[in-house]
Amino acid sequence: MMIVDCKIGNLRNVQKVFEKLGVMTQISDNAEDIEKSDALVLPGVGAFGDAMNNIKSLGLLEPLRKAALKDKKPILGICLGMQLLGKESFELGHHQGLNILPMSVKKLETNGLKLPHIGWNNINIENQASLFNGIPADSDFYFVHSYNCVCEDQKIIAATCEYGKRFVAAIQKDNIFATQFHPEKSQAYGFKVIRNFVDYVKGQHA
Amino acid sequence: MIKTRVIPILLIQDGLLKKRIKFKDTRTIANPVTIARVFEARRTDELIVLDIGRTVDKEDIDQDLVRQIAEELHMPFAYGGGIKNVEHITETIKNGAEKVVINTAAVANPQLIRDAADKFGSQCIIVSIDAKKTANGYEVYTQSGTKATGIDAVSWAKEAEKWGAGEILITSIDHEGTMQGYDLELIRKVADAVTIPVIASGGIGKLDDFVAGIKEGHASAVAAGSIFHYTPITPNMAKERMKEAGIPVRIQNPEYVA
């Protein structure tokens, strides 16, 4: 399991959850490690443009796309890491994303509620997504963001959340998983989401 | 629906958890890493850790402590104390803090808020304002409440928002540590003046004070120190009372194991 270091994220917080679940992880910014790993985690705190610039300058753009789309490696994107999987973002300008999933990153529409959307909010699990197996309906997860993913394909939505308006809280499409919330900061239910991802990875290698 | 956060504040100096009254009479109460572990076990919403021994003129941030606290937590936590530049913020976030709290350095150089927000997003940047009541309003104090600035607290909150702050932590110096309740007038004035979330701080002494911070103070979140360190009251007890008052809160089932 490789945790991709885009030189901007919050890496140890994610790593220690995997450790507590007994999974070996490596934090790396090296394209060869992407090739060698069984699964990838793309965490992220920060601004979209900076993260994409780092991904490009580290030479990770094509290796990440290949791992996700051609090699079908399991990928878990978290928060900004979820947004990076999209094709474009309108945060502080206009930026191209990894273009792995058909979605765009736009400022949250909140019907006048304050931004950023910070805090614990309950989600609705959609499309019986296996990422949320064993998690009670209406559970709270920790969110901190001003932008979110707008999906063209409703079938890939794994969870939604409401903050003024409904928005996409999680995605699941084949080998690609992503959460707008921070599972590593969401205590027991967050652990369960990561455990479900780990179970999927193990299933691929059983 | 978004839940209203209850946020314990850990004040730290020389690596130890401290308590003080009106920013004075500082005394040691515990090892902060142990206390962080207690709040994790209680499934607290969030923590704020403030190193009050690190004003802008002193030595660098105790990043070992940031790492040690982060290691215990699976909740967001914000670190403040001695943050002077973007490099400090980068390092602190890398070591596991979700957000940073900037106070003195933001007043001295508001461009820091903008630079930090551009790099990490506004949501990572809490501007902390320590304010003292005056004859005609509230004055901002920096350097752990020791230096009067002549700046009006409400105007500064508005300005901090314009520079890119994601949240405001507003602390009444007159009420801090007294357990007499928040300075609700101060909190309401600041909360009504900005569109970003405001965290109320300074003075909580009983369960109804949490409710008042939201209902009368118009804050988005309520923070407290002494009540959690010196009384049997836990964040969940505060939330039960807030729930009774119709405020949406999160109470995670402590029996649930992933």
Side-chain angles (χ1 to χ4, degrees):
Chain A
M1 185 86 64
M2 169 175 160
I3 298 174
V4 181
D5 182 2
C6 311
K7 300 296 164 203
I8 190 160
N10 201 323
L11 307 174
R12 176 64 196 152
N13 288 332
V14 174
Q15 185 179 43
K16 72 191 183 207
V17 179
F18 284 96
E19 280 175 7
K20 286 180 184 169
L21 296 173
V23 178
M24 282 244 300
T25 59
Q26 177 192 20
I27 293 176
S28 170
D29 60 6
N30 186 321
E32 284 172 26
D33 290 328
I34 294 179
E35 188 69 33
K36 282 187 270 181
S37 64
D38 294 326
L40 300 168
V41 182
L42 197 56
V45 168
F48 193 99
D50 279 352
M52 280 310 298
N53 285 340
N54 292 345
I55 285 173
K56 282 180 206 155
S57 64
L58 291 163
L60 300 180
L61 183 72
E62 283 312 315
L64 283 171
R65 285 179 49 80
K66 177 174 177 287
L69 297 170
K70 186 161 172 281
D71 303 338
K72 300 278 177 198
K73 288 188 181 180
I75 292 191
L76 176 63
I78 297 173
C79 194
L80 177 64
M82 168 173 172
Q83 299 178 2
L84 294 172
L85 298 172
K87 61 182 183 191
E88 59 183 345
S89 169
F90 295 92
E91 181 183 0
L92 306 170
H94 180 238
H95 310 275
Q96 300 297 317
L98 291 167
N99 200 12
I100 289 170
L101 290 174
M103 54 191 193
S104 298
V105 182
K106 294 185 177 152
K107 196 162 203 167
L108 269 175
E109 291 179 25
T110 63
N111 269 331
L113 293 182
K114 290 182 177 187
L115 277 179
H117 170 221
I118 302 177
W120 295 85
N121 204 336
N122 54 302
I123 60 159
N124 301 296
I125 300 164
E126 310 280 352
N127 296 314
Q128 286 107 41
S130 62
L131 190 59
F132 295 99
N133 279 349
I135 293 173
D138 242 16
S139 293
D140 290 306
F141 289 87
Y142 185 74
F143 290 85
V144 48
H145 62 125
S146 295
Y147 288 76
N148 87 291
C149 295
V150 178
C151 284
E152 291 160 24
D153 180 359
Q154 301 298 303
K155 286 196 281 298
I156 69 173
I157 297 173
T160 54
C161 177
E162 195 159 324
Y163 183 66
K165 281 187 174 180
R166 258 161 109 79
F167 68 91
V168 177
I171 293 283
Q172 178 172 345
K173 183 178 190 283
D174 306 325
N175 56 315
I176 301 163
F177 302 81
T179 64
Q180 182 59 64
F181 57 81
H182 287 270
E184 78 281 11
K185 295 288 176 76
S186 296
Q187 295 169 346
Y189 301 140
F191 266 63
K192 183 63 176 162
V193 166
I194 291 181
R195 185 183 285 285
N196 287 339
F197 175 70
V198 169
D199 286 347
Y200 172 84
V201 176
K202 285 180 179 162
Q204 299 300 298
H205 291 86
Chain B
M1 187 188 279
I2 190 91
K3 306 303 186 292
T4 301
R5 293 165 290 161
V6 173
I7 307 175
I9 292 189
L10 308 188
L11 292 182
I12 289 169
Q13 195 169 15
D14 305 322
L16 293 167
L17 187 69
K18 302 282 179 175
K19 169 181 165 56
R20 61 187 181 183
I21 298 173
K22 299 186 183 183
F23 283 54
K24 295 190 181 115
D25 303 325
T26 304
R27 61 193 281 193
T28 300
I29 48 180
N31 176 329
V33 180
T34 312
I35 299 302
R37 196 178 299 153
V38 169
F39 285 118
E40 173 65 25
R42 288 181 168 167
R43 297 197 172 161
T44 306
D45 295 331
E46 184 167 338
L47 280 188
I48 293 178
V49 175
L50 298 177
D51 194 333
I52 55 178
R54 315 243 164 203
T55 60
V56 279
D57 300 326
K58 294 209 179 128
E59 68 268 62
D60 271 349
I61 295 155
D62 187 350
Q63 293 288 357
D64 287 337
L65 187 68
V66 176
R67 268 194 298 275
Q68 284 173 41
I69 290 174
E71 203 60 25
E72 302 297 333
L73 301 179
H74 298 287
M75 67 172 102
F77 91 94
Y79 171 85
I83 302 261
K84 303 189 231 350
N85 52 48
V86 171
E87 290 69 41
H88 284 155
I89 299 170
T90 308
E91 193 67 12
T92 304
I93 287 177
K94 196 178 171 197
N95 282 329
E98 176 88 14
K99 312 171 187 178
V100 292
V101 183
I102 320 175
N103 188 328
T104 305
V107 174
N109 171 27
Q111 180 66 35
L112 174 61
I113 307 173
R114 169 57 54 208
D115 293 345
D118 282 351
K119 181 155 184 199
F120 296 101
S122 286
Q123 71 279 357
C124 289
I125 315 301
I126 302 177
V127 169
S128 167
I129 302 174
D130 297 330
K132 212 176 221 180
K133 198 170 170 61
T134 62
N136 43 15
Y138 290 91
E139 183 179 4
V140 175
Y141 278 66
T142 57
Q143 306 203 353
S144 262
T146 57
K147 197 180 156 213
T149 63
I151 299 168
D152 174 66
V154 176
S155 319
W156 170 229
K158 282 195 222 172
E159 209 178 313
E161 177 177 17
K162 278 192 208 136
W163 282 102
E167 290 181 275
I168 301 280
L169 171 66
I170 180 75
T171 305
S172 159
I173 295 175
D174 309 304
H175 286 236
E176 196 227 29
T178 63
M179 300 180 74
Q180 305 277 305
Y182 287 134
D183 184 335
L184 292 169
E185 185 196 342
L186 167 67
I187 289 157
R188 188 170 49 246
K189 280 187 167 165
V190 171
D192 290 350
V194 297
T195 66
I196 51 177
V198 169
I199 306 166
S201 161
I204 282 224
K206 57 183 191 302
L207 289 173
D208 284 334
D209 292 339
F210 291 98
V211 175
I214 303 298
K215 294 243 167 176
E216 294 166 49
H218 303 168
S220 297
V222 277
S226 306
I227 194 170
F228 296 134
H229 305 319
Y230 278 145
T231 80
I233 289 173
T234 65
N236 269 350
M237 290 163 75
K239 285 191 270 187
E240 294 285 0
R241 178 63 60 88
M242 291 161 74
K243 195 176 167 188
E244 285 166 23
I247 298 167
V249 289
R250 156 194 173 263
I251 299 172
Q252 196 178 69
N253 175 10
E255 308 295 317
Y256 185 90
V257 181

